[in-house]
Amino acid sequence: MKKILLVLLILITSFATADAKVIKIKMADGSLRVYTSSELSAIDFNDDGTLTITTYDGQQLEASEAEFDEVEIGDEAAVTTVYPDTLRFTIQADTTLIDLEIERPIMKMNYVYPSLDPDGQPITLSGTILIPEEIWTGVAVSQGIVMMNHYTKFNRDEAPTISNGELENMFMANPLKPNYIIVESDFYGFGATVRFPQAFLQGLNNARASLDGLLAARQLLTEQGIDYGQLCFNVGYSSGGFDALAAQKLRDMEYADRISFDKTFSGGGPSDVREAYRRYVINDSTAYNAVPLLLMVSTNETQHLGMDYANVFQPYICNRIDELILSKQFSSWPVCDSIGREKKIHEILSPVYCDLSSDESMAFQDILAGFNLTNDDWTPDTTQRIFLFHSRGDDYVPIQSARPIVSFLKDKGFTPHIIPGKTNLQTNFVLTKEGHLKATLYYFIQSLASIESWPLMYIGGQLNPLYATLINKTDDPVAIMRQLDALGIDCRTILKNIIAKMTGSEEGEDTELSPFQIIMMLNEQLEKQGLTMQDLYEMSDDSGIDIIKLITDLAAYFSEQSDDDSNDIQPVPAKKAARLLKAMEASATPADRNEQLLRDWMAPVL
């Protein structure tokens, strides 16, 4: 009778609400499983004393009545499963599946933990911990934790607790074989809370899921006797890049006494969600047209806006919202195929929501503006370090929605620079042609190279003096060319020959190079890539480069003459050149070397 009352209590108080209970069940095969009540729809007693568990999606599982019980969150018993798994470096870049055939054995530990839902109410979420086999067996020591924020998911089976995503595979299965532990939340709407709509691009909700999941994972690893290491990195790409920045924001606002990131690596995400929506409408296209659909539905459902989908979408879509989005039956590309990859935004959204000045659209934009990371409710902690990465050729996330965070952080005391460790804000907005998926590879290379070299770069959180000396060497190209001139390398002639190739003139031909001429030459080269000088100004400013100073310094250098005429400069002897090359290689930072190793390994697909 006690068990029956317990079942009835759970059914009455839990299944109808988002405040999930955690239930440990001994399955018919003898294994122990932990569910949250939001995953289940019924628990029935059988005549033979066993239980039949019915999940929310209709699956029936047989279990032993004797082992049915509630457990406390944080209890070691609340780990759902611990099992061996394998990561393999794969990524779908555009239409090509890249598989570099490196595998990494891991132990996968799924767990549940307390957090809050989008309404601020208590909820039980699920997450996973990926532990390299070497760390699990004690052969290697963990350097630290990588808190991963997963990218856009549509299908329930893509939840991190169920399947490993591309970024997790890339970060762990590569020649560097980093000894870090990955911690990753399913986020609200997946895993333990899969029956509820997901909170897509609702940064603070997903941020809280990640931060609470990190705290719970630390506790769980300690209980398991696993030393998770001292370092902690916050990582995410695409919508996960947005969520990584949101996690940094919420950490600064509420979790600073419990969590500190050595660095946040955010790539390929918007910082201004309202601007992302506006750009989708203005451009009338995106290579990933399932995302505007998900954005509208997720925001409407979780924010309880009561928008009538018949007024939001074109007729061929509005009646399929449950099927395409809320059911979580399909991955993103089948959704794109179902609505038509060639479909423009005005063929997906209704005219009302394609009119950015309509009352309905303006009200929706106000909601999205509340998700922006650049709102004044964030006073960033300038002792934290951030890496921002975005390709200007991104065909999923408009560059205009990504750039506002740079200006915001600059206004709050951060100084952008493209060199890792040079300042508290490393930026790379200078890629020009790579689409969203291919750019993932460059984000991965730069982020992992930095993470893997961190123990050499930093001591007790402070820059290693040797590393500081290396990165604080001048990065002024003109100053470097003058240094090479002094070593006997005729940089002016080299530069003239480069210009000759660009302009089609004779090599070695005397040419005056004024700032105006440099700008004209740059403009000509940029036009070939579909870019403008304004793009160049923006890219250089985002990356901490004073392009105007560089152009004027370059023109002044080019017009200078050496004391004995540049033609009298003797070539560098082979032995001296070899010594110079060796010295240059020796001056490479650990991050430089790791990045080059990864680039060489990935050369066939870059």
Side-chain angles (χ1 to χ4, degrees):
M1 180 63 68
K2 180 178 178 182
K3 292 291 184 181
I4 295 176
L5 290 176
L6 179 59
V7 172
L8 292 176
L9 178 64
I10 292 174
L11 288 173
I12 293 171
T13 63
S14 301
F15 290 167
T17 72
D19 185 8
K21 304 294 182 182
V22 183
I23 306 163
K24 181 176 69 174
I25 304 172
K26 186 172 184 179
M27 309 307 292
D29 63 3
S31 63
L32 285 175
R33 294 289 301 275
V34 173
Y35 291 94
T36 61
S37 55
S38 63
E39 297 175 90
L40 309 178
S41 61
I43 301 177
D44 300 309
F45 284 94
N46 302 320
D47 292 338
D48 61 0
T50 63
L51 301 173
T52 295
I53 312 298
T54 305
T55 64
Y56 91 100
D57 54 356
Q59 295 182 359
Q60 289 194 335
L61 309 169
E62 294 298 318
S64 167
E65 174 188 351
E67 294 293 336
F68 173 73
D69 205 351
E70 290 184 90
V71 296
E72 292 295 324
I73 301 284
D75 188 334
E76 185 176 332
V79 179
T80 56
T81 49
V82 179
Y83 60 92
D85 200 357
T86 301
L87 297 178
R88 185 182 178 100
F89 190 110
T90 58
I91 181 174
Q92 187 77 36
D94 299 322
T95 59
T96 304
L97 178 64
I98 296 173
D99 183 350
L100 296 180
E101 300 183 350
I102 286 192
E103 292 187 345
R104 185 84 182 275
I106 62 165
M107 291 298 292
K108 188 178 179 78
M109 181 187 298
N110 292 340
Y111 65 108
V112 290
Y113 62 93
S115 192
L116 300 177
D117 69 11
D119 295 322
Q121 298 302 308
I123 189 73
T124 300
L125 299 179
S126 51
T128 191
I129 307 172
L130 307 182
I131 308 169
E133 185 180 61
E134 303 94 317
I135 296 174
W136 179 264
T137 58
V139 173
V141 176
S142 172
Q143 299 277 16
I145 287 176
V146 173
M147 189 185 82
M148 190 81 70
N149 300 270
H150 73 67
Y151 51 75
T152 306
K153 308 284 187 183
F154 281 72
N155 190 316
R156 70 184 71 162
D157 292 334
E158 295 171 339
T161 49
I162 298 175
S163 63
N164 303 313
E166 292 174 341
L167 207 58
E168 299 93 302
N169 283 273
M170 293 165 66
F171 265 75
M172 300 298 283
N174 59 71
L176 295 179
K177 293 197 173 178
N179 282 321
Y180 286 90
I181 294 172
I182 287 182
V183 171
E184 187 170 13
S185 172
D186 282 330
F187 290 160
Y188 180 81
F190 287 97
T193 54
V194 69
R195 68 163 53 187
F196 306 118
Q198 64 169 297
F200 180 63
L201 289 184
Q202 295 174 36
L204 293 188
N205 182 263
N206 291 338
R208 192 176 301 281
S210 281
L211 297 175
D212 288 343
L214 174 62
L215 293 174
R218 286 175 173 174
Q219 175 185 339
L220 188 56
L221 288 166
T222 299
E223 291 171 351
Q224 295 281 335
I226 298 173
D227 183 352
Y228 51 78
Q230 307 234 336
L231 301 176
C232 186
F233 298 100
N234 174 27
V235 169
Y237 188 80
S238 195
S239 63
F242 172 83
D243 290 324
L245 275 179
Q248 180 69 67
K249 174 177 180 176
L250 189 61
R251 176 268 167 200
D252 293 351
M253 295 167 61
E254 298 183 24
Y255 290 74
D257 59 334
R258 290 170 289 170
I259 294 173
S260 180
F261 296 125
D262 289 278
K263 194 167 187 176
T264 286
F265 295 86
S266 170
S271 58
D272 188 321
V273 184
R274 177 178 180 269
E275 186 61 22
Y277 162 75
R278 290 178 59 82
R279 286 294 162 177
Y280 287 139
V281 172
I282 292 170
N283 298 337
D284 197 26
S285 67
T286 171
Y288 199 33
N289 60 17
V291 164
L293 180 63
L294 176 61
L295 177 62
M296 305 295 287
V297 174
S298 173
T299 306
N300 182 42
E301 297 289 335
T302 57
Q303 300 300 307
H304 316 296
L305 302 181
M307 290 160 46
D308 184 347
Y309 290 127
N311 296 328
V312 177
F313 298 110
Q314 293 290 345
Y316 79 101
I317 289 181
C318 66
N319 294 325
R320 302 182 63 200
I321 296 304
D322 284 344
E323 172 196 359
L324 294 177
I325 302 297
L326 296 177
S327 72
K328 303 188 180 83
Q329 296 180 68
F330 303 107
S331 297
S332 59
W333 286 118
V335 173
C336 288
D337 289 333
S338 182
I339 64 180
R341 293 196 191 191
E342 77 287 351
K343 285 288 194 293
K344 301 295 185 181
I345 299 302
H346 78 271
E347 297 174 292
I348 299 172
L349 300 182
S350 70
V352 169
Y353 284 91
C354 284
D355 178 2
L356 296 177
S357 63
S358 72
D359 291 342
E360 293 86 348
S361 175
M362 293 290 286
F364 185 69
Q365 290 177 60
D366 287 343
I367 297 295
L368 295 183
F371 302 154
N372 290 351
L373 300 175
T374 53
N375 294 335
D376 288 337
D377 57 342
W378 180 18
T379 301
D381 179 352
T382 55
T383 66
Q384 299 280 282
R385 305 175 186 91
I386 298 175
F387 172 47
L388 300 176
F389 176 98
H390 207 95
S391 169
R392 295 189 68 87
D394 196 313
D395 49 351
Y396 288 13
V397 181
I399 187 70
Q400 296 89 345
S401 69
R403 294 187 63 243
I405 191 65
V406 180
S407 297
F408 174 82
L409 291 174
K410 285 167 67 175
D411 290 343
K412 299 296 184 178
F414 284 75
T415 303
H417 207 285
I418 200 166
I419 295 178
K422 191 88 170 180
T423 68
N424 54 359
L425 177 60
Q426 180 193 354
T427 53
N428 189 341
F429 281 71
V430 299
L431 288 178
T432 58
K433 62 180 180 178
E434 303 299 356
H436 185 82
L437 294 179
K438 188 68 174 291
T440 310
L441 300 175
Y442 295 93
Y443 164 81
F444 150 72
I445 287 173
Q446 293 185 47
S447 299
L448 182 61
S450 182
I451 288 173
E452 180 63 9
S453 58
W454 202 271
L456 295 174
M457 294 160 51
Y458 288 85
I459 300 174
Q462 300 299 314
L463 269 177
N464 180 326
L466 176 60
Y467 178 73
T469 299
L470 290 174
I471 67 169
N472 286 324
K473 288 181 177 178
T474 180
D475 54 352
D476 180 341
V478 175
I480 292 172
M481 285 190 286
R482 287 197 173 97
Q483 291 174 4
L484 293 174
D485 283 338
L487 292 170
I489 299 175
D490 185 0
C491 290
R492 286 180 185 78
T493 299
I494 294 172
L495 191 57
K496 285 180 181 180
N497 292 337
I498 293 173
I499 293 169
K501 289 179 181 179
M502 292 172 60
T503 60
S505 57
E506 293 293 327
E507 288 194 5
E509 180 179 329
D510 286 337
T511 308
E512 283 195 20
L513 204 61
S514 68
F516 177 75
Q517 288 170 315
I518 294 177
I519 290 173
M520 293 298 292
M521 288 173 52
L522 283 172
N523 195 53
E524 180 182 347
Q525 297 303 311
L526 290 168
E527 285 179 351
K528 294 177 181 179
Q529 302 183 50
L531 297 169
T532 66
M533 283 302 296
Q534 180 61 36
D535 293 325
L536 180 61
Y537 292 142
E538 290 178 356
M539 286 188 287
S540 60
D541 186 57
D542 289 339
S543 299
I545 300 169
D546 187 340
I547 191 67
I548 299 300
K549 180 179 183 301
L550 177 58
I551 289 173
T552 54
D553 287 353
L554 189 60
Y557 166 79
F558 195 76
S559 64
E560 292 173 359
Q561 294 294 324
S562 65
D563 292 339
D564 300 320
D565 192 275
S566 60
N567 292 329
D568 293 334
I569 296 177
Q570 297 300 312
V572 179
K575 288 186 178 180
K576 185 175 181 180
R579 289 198 300 271
L580 287 171
L581 180 60
K582 189 173 182 179
M584 290 172 63
E585 291 174 346
S587 69
T589 69
D592 294 332
R593 287 191 286 271
N594 284 330
E595 183 171 333
Q596 191 58 52
L597 185 152
L598 292 172
R599 284 180 178 273
D600 291 344
W601 173 61
M602 298 179 65
V605 299
L606 289 178

